[in-house]
Amino acid sequence: QPVRDGTYHRKLYRLMWIRIPFVLKYDMANYGQALSEMITQQNLAIKHERLRSAVIIKSYLASSRNKSQREIISVLYESPEAWLTDEEINNDPVLYIRYQSILYLNGEVSLEGFEKELRGKIHLFRYDFQADMYYLFLNSYMRRTFQGKRKISHSKLLGILKWGLEDRFVFQEGILSEVFYRTLINMCCRTLQLELGEYYLQNLKQHLIVEVREEAYIYCKGMLRMAQERHLEAIKYLNRKFSHPPLDLRARKIVLMLKYDQGERVSLENEIRALASCIERSTYLNLEIKTEAKLELQFLDTLIRSFKNSELQKLKERLRELKGLAYRNWLFEKIDEKLNCVHIPLLD
């Protein structure tokens, strides 16, 4: 039996509201007690709903990079300390976990501390609450690592993804998110658990909605082939038009990287310029995605045209200043490879 949450208290309040006229008519002696119980349930429902709203707003404020939107939304945030007592928080598991999530998003509770609390209590709750809290934890972990606020551990992230999969938090009526599917395969590639990646690739495909199934499968198959260093096969799968613009852009960038590794350096310059032009003209990509992609292409283009030790070192220093680029580690690796090949002092 799940613990009592806001939905429970709201339903009980409504049942009591329906019952009040009958108590008033037939059981006047208990009318005061019934009214008090109804108000108590209403207040509990309101507190649960206010705290849930606070978590949603705090999560948005932590994730959004749009300063003007953050300023507008921030006025809606109410600090729970203003209307929740320590006793209420500690005696109600749902309020407690939601309050812990606020502290976690504020940076007042560590990732490890919040994860321990969540894993210990999540099975007490209704399924939709379990899914909400799991995704809050997963998304905040990914956001912190990709923003450079925390050193990323691919094996840790894969473990979090497997937890959601095994406990079925990530399924909505049997349907699996395409983003989760791609992230899961990507982490299997990053941790070189390629057999596990092949297993997930084949066995989870059926849980994707039909509209995205084939494209997601092809993209992930390309990613696995790249991790297996079967680059020509990877190019075959990824060098196509994907219907989702950010995914299509990601695939095209990966193809450029694969071609670089295949030694196709000269023809790449034209392809980089063509892709940069497409990005500039696109009306489907937001400014953040465009900016990051153009930076990555600039780095790749400069890398191709740089042969002097000093040029490569300068490029490396510029790259160190940028924390959020998706393929930053790959660029570092290629710069180092090229630096190791530069042995002629006269080049400088």
Side-chain angles (χ1 to χ4, degrees):
Q1 181 70 22
V3 296
R4 299 172 178 182
D5 59 6
T7 301
Y8 170 89
H9 294 298
R10 179 62 66 185
K11 286 180 178 178
L12 191 56
Y13 160 72
R14 286 171 180 163
L15 286 172
M16 289 180 173
W17 176 261
I18 293 168
R19 182 170 167 262
I20 279 291
F22 296 94
V23 175
L24 183 60
K25 188 173 182 180
Y26 300 110
D27 193 11
M28 188 60 186
N30 291 317
Y31 176 72
Q33 182 181 348
L35 189 63
S36 175
E37 288 176 358
M38 183 188 75
I39 292 171
T40 297
Q41 295 304 319
Q42 183 186 39
N43 288 336
L44 284 169
I46 289 170
K47 286 184 177 182
H48 276 269
E49 288 159 4
R50 284 176 76 181
L51 187 53
R52 181 172 183 269
S53 297
V55 173
I56 292 169
I57 293 168
K58 178 60 72 173
S59 181
Y60 172 81
L61 293 174
S63 63
S64 175
R65 296 186 185 181
N66 188 317
K67 185 178 178 181
S68 60
Q69 286 188 6
R70 284 204 311 271
E71 289 172 354
I72 293 168
I73 296 295
S74 63
V75 300
L76 302 175
Y77 177 71
E78 296 180 280
S79 177
E81 289 88 348
W83 44 271
L84 273 178
T85 65
D86 289 342
E87 184 180 359
E88 287 173 323
I89 292 168
N90 292 325
N91 290 338
D92 187 318
V94 177
L95 291 178
Y96 178 80
I97 283 295
R98 283 210 163 112
Y99 183 68
Q100 286 294 309
S101 69
I102 290 278
L103 297 179
Y104 168 63
L105 292 168
N106 281 340
E108 298 173 50
V109 170
S110 68
L111 174 108
E112 292 76 16
F114 181 58
E115 182 181 7
K116 183 180 178 181
E117 295 281 7
L118 192 58
R119 283 184 183 266
K121 293 183 173 65
I122 196 167
H123 291 98
L124 297 172
F125 310 125
R126 288 184 302 112
Y127 174 77
D128 58 342
F129 181 84
Q130 292 176 2
D132 284 350
M133 296 308 296
Y134 169 77
Y135 271 114
L136 181 144
F137 175 67
L138 171 64
N139 293 337
S140 63
Y141 178 81
M142 292 176 67
R143 181 172 63 250
R144 288 184 180 195
T145 53
F146 294 140
Q147 288 178 354
K149 294 178 181 177
R150 182 185 181 90
K151 187 176 180 181
I152 188 165
S153 166
H154 296 122
S155 58
K156 172 68 177 176
L157 182 50
L158 179 58
I160 295 171
L161 295 168
K162 287 166 71 176
W163 171 36
L165 196 63
E166 289 160 5
D167 287 9
R168 302 191 69 80
F169 303 141
V170 296
F171 291 99
Q172 299 292 326
E173 298 182 355
I175 299 298
L176 183 68
S177 156
E178 174 205 1
V179 175
F180 185 91
Y181 179 74
R182 286 194 276 108
T183 305
L184 181 65
I185 303 298
N186 186 22
M187 288 305 108
C188 287
C189 294
R190 296 289 185 97
T191 56
L192 298 180
Q193 297 195 41
L194 303 181
E195 288 185 12
L196 183 63
E198 286 284 358
Y199 173 82
Y200 287 144
L201 178 76
Q202 303 298 336
N203 289 279
L204 294 178
K205 176 185 175 184
Q206 61 186 317
H207 293 287
L208 301 173
I209 60 172
V210 175
E211 291 80 0
V212 302
R213 185 179 297 161
E214 198 58 33
E215 278 199 353
Y217 176 77
I218 289 169
Y219 176 84
C220 290
K221 197 166 187 177
M223 295 296 290
L224 271 169
R225 296 299 172 264
M226 181 173 71
Q228 293 163 345
E229 297 187 354
R230 294 155 64 176
H231 289 177
L232 292 177
E233 284 185 58
I235 291 171
K236 182 183 77 173
Y237 288 116
L238 295 172
N239 198 16
R240 64 182 67 219
K241 182 70 176 176
F242 291 91
S243 59
H244 185 50
L247 183 64
D248 183 63
L249 173 60
R250 196 174 302 126
R252 291 181 70 177
K253 288 192 294 183
I254 293 170
V255 167
L256 291 179
M257 291 158 56
L258 289 168
K259 287 184 175 180
Y260 179 92
D261 284 334
Q262 290 296 108
E264 300 180 32
R265 311 288 166 84
V266 178
S267 61
L268 273 186
E269 292 186 41
N270 290 332
E271 293 187 44
I272 289 169
R273 281 193 287 271
L275 180 53
S277 178
C278 287
I279 293 167
E280 194 63 46
R281 293 196 309 270
S282 175
T283 56
Y284 299 102
L285 300 170
N286 65 38
L287 181 61
E288 185 181 330
I289 291 175
K290 283 185 174 185
T291 303
E292 180 179 315
K294 286 190 288 187
L295 267 173
E296 287 170 336
L297 293 179
Q298 286 171 13
F299 272 106
L300 181 55
D301 186 50
T302 307
L303 176 61
I304 292 168
R305 293 185 288 102
S306 296
F307 296 97
K308 294 182 179 180
N309 208 315
S310 57
E311 292 173 340
L312 293 166
Q313 290 290 0
K314 186 177 178 181
L315 186 64
K316 194 171 182 178
E317 287 302 315
R318 281 182 56 208
L319 189 56
R320 280 202 185 97
E321 296 170 5
L322 300 168
K323 302 291 185 184
L325 294 185
Y327 301 111
R328 185 169 176 260
N329 290 340
W330 181 87
L331 286 165
F332 270 129
E333 182 185 324
K334 300 308 161 185
I335 292 171
D336 285 339
E337 283 179 6
K338 206 162 183 180
L339 276 168
N340 291 334
C341 293
V342 177
H343 296 301
I344 306 173
L346 290 176
L347 287 174
D348 284 337

